[in-house]
Amino acid sequence: MATDAQRIEELRRLIEHHNYLYYVKAEPEISDREFDRLYSELVELEKKHPELITPESPTQRVGGQPIEGFESVTHDIPMLSIDNTYNADELRAFDVRTRRFIGGDQEFDYVVELKVDGVAAKVIYENGALTLAATRGDGVTGDDISANIRTIGAIPLRLGTGGERDVPALLEARGEIFMTMEELARQNRIREKKKLGPLANPRNAAAGALKLLDPRECAKRHLSVFFYGLGVYEGPEIDYHHDVLETFVSLGLPVNPHWKLLSSIEEVIEFAEQWALKRARLPYQIDGLVVKVDSYALQSRLGRTAKAPRSMIAYKYPAEQAASKVLGIRVQVGKTGTLTPVADLEPVKLAGTTVKRASLHNFDEVKRKDIRVGDHVLVEKAGEIIPQVVAVVDAQREGRQEKLEPPDNCPSCGGPVARSPEEVYLRCTNLDCPAQLRERLRYFASRQAMDIEGLGPAVIDQLVDRAMVRDPADLYDLETGKVEKLERMGTKSSENLIKAIKASKSRGLERLLTALAIRHVGSTMAATLAGHFGSLERLMEADTGELESIKDVGCTVAASIVDFFASDQNRKVIEKLRKAGVSTIAKARSREGGELFEKTFVFTGTLEQMTRAEAENMVRDRGG
């Protein structure tokens, strides 16, 4: 027993030592196979002596049981955002402002660090033991992600592995949780086998992993971390930021190794230009650099604005671009008949994912950029998420490329297309268009509309292809016996779908107006109209003059509403909905006298107990 206990402690020490060499020093001494052998031996010994398992054991990184939800954490020191710059002149202007604010001819240094594209978070160690981890959140409060953070191998469960400095009584380290591009590719291969859509980029993938309620699932995402900042701290005095980075490394916390201490803004600009060329070779994504005044005394003197410290600034690189070839251009039809050209591209790696297609927005944009089938083009991700064609590489055009002409007929139904004078979009004017119907049904069933659980794209495609549904009102005539004959629809799932369709009848006028997909009428406008008119019948009688008298309803929205209800086909669908028992009356809401009257709420992010739409409805129901 004594021998096993001693061996367990020795194995833990060895594993943490090799983790430190691997993650922090990037100087591994043993192979992965040898490391796995040590780890497996520890697992077996702990199985034999479960009473010796401690929270700090490396085996506890696999994650415990799923949690109910994330507790809120208030940051003792706010986690502020940083102002951005986008060129060398803006960096020089930052330097001028900083020197003017400090005053005199005082010399100082800058620390420049790579800006890893991930999720900002903090970890807190008390007497060396990891006790709390939280996301940045809104800068004042974040989510307690301690259970998920413990699964990240690069984060020590206990400080001091490096053994070079004394462990402080309290240390809050701030850093960036991220996913490498290799890991993103691995995750997307797994998702492809499960017939799931790909993760958009490493940042979104990391954020999604940290929000998983099951730490065991988070452990499978193989996240990484670099620490870059100090929060609450009780220990030996630290006067400079570069000392913080060195202290982190000595305590076992990983720091991006490519930081540099520089004495002038011109050196900073040169460093930024070097990394603009080298960043593509990194195994993770960066979107720029962070420039910080090194002296903490000067940082304190510089202070902060309402949202950001004056002592630091982010230098952002332009969006990453890649060259590809347009293999073809197809036209997609939206729920209101909008025709959108989409380029099919030769697969190209961009911002951590493989891009195969890009929206061309509209036919005027195609003409303006002169994009043709066969062209070589530059592609980038708008907001690092949505692929778009930036420009054509004219030098590679040899004359065989095909121009795209705007279609005279809908590619789905062959019906006529038209464009109103005030718009750039072509629209299919055939309300029986199957492509429009598919998109309208998906929108009708969505959460912000009628919220019909189980009515997904695969089911909708079959309902349309088999002519079981010709408009949204036909959904309410479906029966279990017919639905269960669809592919991948058994008796139980069919019964659940029919129940969900019936439950949607009582959603009320606001949700119904959203679901009808009237152009220019989203959920907010639907709430305004429902509150003003009270019933669908009353709204259908309104003319443009009455509509325009309502706050936030302009002439374009008013005309769109009147045109929608003037359509005989739309009126027939509404009559079928009414006969099916779908409520066309606004739900009663407390206005004046309601407990939230004259109070305004803004919802963002993820709520634990309900959707944002449900929370918004609760506020409106109480007069807010």
Side-chain angles (χ1 to χ4, degrees):
M1 174 67 181
T3 303
D4 284 350
Q6 291 168 355
R7 180 58 177 164
I8 285 172
E9 285 303 314
E10 182 184 16
L11 287 169
R12 288 174 183 168
R13 183 185 59 76
L14 283 170
I15 289 169
E16 288 301 329
H17 171 71
H18 289 299
N19 268 338
Y20 173 73
L21 293 176
Y22 183 86
Y23 290 113
V24 181
K25 304 292 283 186
E27 299 171 356
E29 290 180 345
I30 62 174
S31 67
D32 289 350
R33 186 170 181 176
E34 289 174 297
F35 181 89
D36 290 341
R37 184 180 58 77
L38 293 174
Y39 186 87
S40 297
E41 183 183 353
L42 177 60
V43 169
E44 291 304 314
L45 283 173
E46 288 187 344
K47 280 182 182 178
K48 184 178 176 182
H49 302 290
E51 72 280 3
L52 297 179
I53 298 175
T54 65
E56 291 80 25
S57 174
T59 62
Q60 302 310 294
R61 291 188 183 278
V62 295
Q65 293 301 308
I67 58 177
E68 294 293 326
F70 295 100
E71 297 290 331
S72 183
V73 174
T74 300
H75 305 306
D76 292 323
I77 300 174
M79 297 181 71
L80 300 176
S81 58
I82 306 175
D83 287 334
N84 294 324
T85 58
Y86 297 92
N87 56 56
D89 286 340
E90 290 179 355
L91 279 176
R92 292 185 181 103
F94 162 74
D95 182 60
V96 169
R97 288 195 306 273
T98 302
R99 293 182 184 279
R100 185 171 62 237
F101 206 98
I102 292 173
D105 297 325
Q106 183 168 354
E107 293 298 320
F108 60 87
D109 293 326
Y110 288 117
V111 173
V112 189
E113 301 164 75
L114 303 190
K115 188 175 182 296
V116 178
D117 199 10
V119 181
K122 71 175 186 181
V123 293
I124 293 179
Y125 291 88
E126 297 180 47
N127 296 317
L130 176 62
T131 57
L132 177 71
T135 60
R136 176 183 176 274
D138 61 6
V140 178
T141 59
D143 290 328
D144 184 338
I145 53 169
S146 302
N148 285 340
I149 282 291
R150 295 177 70 87
T151 69
I152 301 175
I155 296 179
L157 301 177
R158 177 170 286 280
L159 293 179
T161 307
E164 299 169 28
R165 300 202 187 188
D166 293 336
V167 174
L170 176 64
L171 182 140
E172 175 188 322
R174 297 178 172 187
E176 200 81 4
I177 312 294
F178 64 95
M179 182 179 284
T180 65
M181 286 178 280
E182 181 182 357
E183 178 61 19
L184 179 73
R186 190 182 76 86
Q187 291 295 330
N188 278 335
R189 287 195 296 271
I190 294 171
R191 293 177 68 84
E192 187 176 2
K193 289 179 182 177
K194 295 180 178 179
K195 302 192 182 304
L196 298 172
L199 298 168
N201 55 48
R203 180 184 60 230
N204 287 7
L210 289 174
K211 294 297 288 183
L212 291 169
L213 294 176
D214 189 343
R216 293 169 299 188
E217 290 300 313
C218 183
K220 296 176 184 177
R221 302 310 196 266
H222 299 169
L223 298 177
S224 302
V225 64
F226 286 132
F227 290 99
Y228 55 71
L230 188 64
V232 179
Y233 175 72
E234 294 177 12
E237 187 173 345
I238 300 178
D239 297 322
Y240 295 95
H241 180 64
H242 75 268
D243 282 336
V244 166
L245 301 179
E246 292 171 352
T247 297
F248 283 170
V249 171
S250 71
L251 293 172
L253 293 165
V255 166
N256 190 295
H258 303 297
W259 65 271
K260 197 135 187 181
L261 187 65
L262 300 171
S263 60
S264 73
I265 200 66
E266 294 306 320
E267 289 180 333
V268 171
I269 292 168
E270 183 182 354
F271 187 77
E273 290 171 347
Q274 291 171 358
W275 276 103
L277 301 174
K278 295 192 293 184
R279 63 180 176 135
R281 300 180 222 156
L282 292 167
Y284 45 83
Q285 279 193 324
I286 67 168
D287 57 1
L289 307 172
V290 178
V291 184
K292 303 175 184 176
V293 172
D294 187 35
S295 165
Y296 279 171
L298 291 181
Q299 284 192 18
S300 179
R301 276 175 58 187
L302 286 161
R304 48 174 280 192
T305 64
K307 66 164 191 164
R310 292 192 184 94
S311 58
M312 59 190 70
I313 201 156
Y315 173 77
K316 301 293 284 289
Y317 289 122
E320 182 184 341
Q321 295 183 345
S324 184
K325 185 177 181 181
V326 179
L327 302 178
I329 299 177
R330 52 198 167 87
V331 181
Q332 293 181 339
V333 184
K335 64 181 184 294
T336 60
T338 304
L339 271 57
T340 303
V342 177
D344 288 317
L345 306 169
E346 279 187 348
V348 59
K349 282 282 188 182
L350 181 63
T353 59
T354 300
V355 173
K356 299 179 182 178
R357 61 187 62 87
S359 172
L360 301 179
H361 305 297
N362 57 69
F363 293 95
D364 283 1
E365 186 76 355
V366 174
K367 183 179 180 180
R368 184 180 70 81
K369 292 180 178 175
D370 193 18
I371 301 169
R372 307 179 188 183
V373 175
D375 269 335
H376 289 82
V377 294
L378 291 177
V379 185
E380 73 178 30
K381 286 189 177 182
E384 309 238 342
I385 296 176
I386 303 169
Q388 62 179 4
V389 173
V390 179
V392 173
V393 183
D394 291 329
Q396 292 186 268
R397 180 177 284 173
E398 74 282 348
R400 291 181 295 182
Q401 285 76 10
E402 301 172 30
K403 278 191 174 183
L404 175 69
E405 297 296 335
D408 297 319
N409 300 94
C410 173
S412 175
C413 68
V417 298
R419 181 167 75 175
S420 59
E422 70 275 9
E423 286 195 331
V424 297
Y425 296 102
L426 280 175
R427 295 183 188 276
C428 170
T429 58
N430 175 23
L431 293 176
D432 289 324
C433 173
Q436 285 188 63
L437 177 57
R438 285 185 175 88
E439 294 303 317
R440 284 204 307 274
L441 290 173
R442 290 174 188 178
Y443 189 70
F444 189 89
S446 64
R447 278 192 170 187
Q448 71 266 34
M450 301 302 273
D451 194 12
I452 303 175
E453 189 173 350
L455 190 60
V459 175
I460 288 172
D461 286 346
Q462 293 184 73
L463 292 174
V464 173
D465 292 342
R466 300 187 187 197
M468 295 170 65
V469 172
R470 291 182 172 85
D471 60 56
D474 286 343
L475 292 170
Y476 297 95
D477 292 331
L478 292 174
E479 299 172 351
T480 303
K482 292 182 179 179
V483 173
E484 67 182 5
K485 293 178 182 177
L486 300 176
E487 291 180 21
R488 300 184 181 181
M489 290 294 287
T491 301
K492 185 65 177 176
S493 55
S494 300
E495 289 174 350
N496 290 338
L497 176 57
I498 298 302
K499 284 180 184 177
I501 292 171
K502 287 180 178 178
S504 73
K505 293 180 181 182
S506 61
R507 300 285 187 239
L509 176 58
E510 179 183 321
R511 303 286 284 279
L512 178 59
L513 285 175
T514 302
L516 289 174
I518 305 168
R519 282 177 60 199
H520 308 303
V521 176
S523 57
T524 301
M525 181 57 66
T528 298
L529 295 170
H532 182 86
F533 291 101
S535 72
L536 186 59
E537 292 73 16
R538 176 71 186 86
L539 172 59
M540 291 171 70
E541 294 170 358
D543 58 20
T544 54
E546 183 178 3
L547 285 162
E548 287 179 37
S549 69
I550 303 169
K551 184 184 177 183
D552 298 329
V553 179
C555 58
T556 301
V557 176
S560 178
I561 294 168
V562 170
D563 288 347
F564 182 87
F565 290 120
S567 161
D568 289 338
Q569 188 165 358
N570 288 338
R571 283 181 170 269
K572 286 177 184 176
V573 171
I574 289 167
E575 184 57 31
K576 286 169 66 176
L577 288 168
R578 188 185 291 112
K579 286 182 178 179
V582 176
S583 173
T584 59
I585 305 298
K587 288 188 174 183
R589 295 192 187 278
S590 303
R591 295 301 177 191
E592 292 191 30
E595 60 196 283
L596 301 181
F597 180 61
E598 291 190 336
K599 288 184 170 63
T600 300
F601 292 76
V602 178
F603 292 99
T604 186
T606 303
L607 305 182
E608 293 180 10
Q609 305 298 330
M610 63 194 75
T611 66
R612 288 204 303 255
E614 289 168 341
E616 289 163 9
N617 284 328
M618 286 180 65
V619 169
R620 291 194 187 106
D621 288 342
R622 291 158 177 77

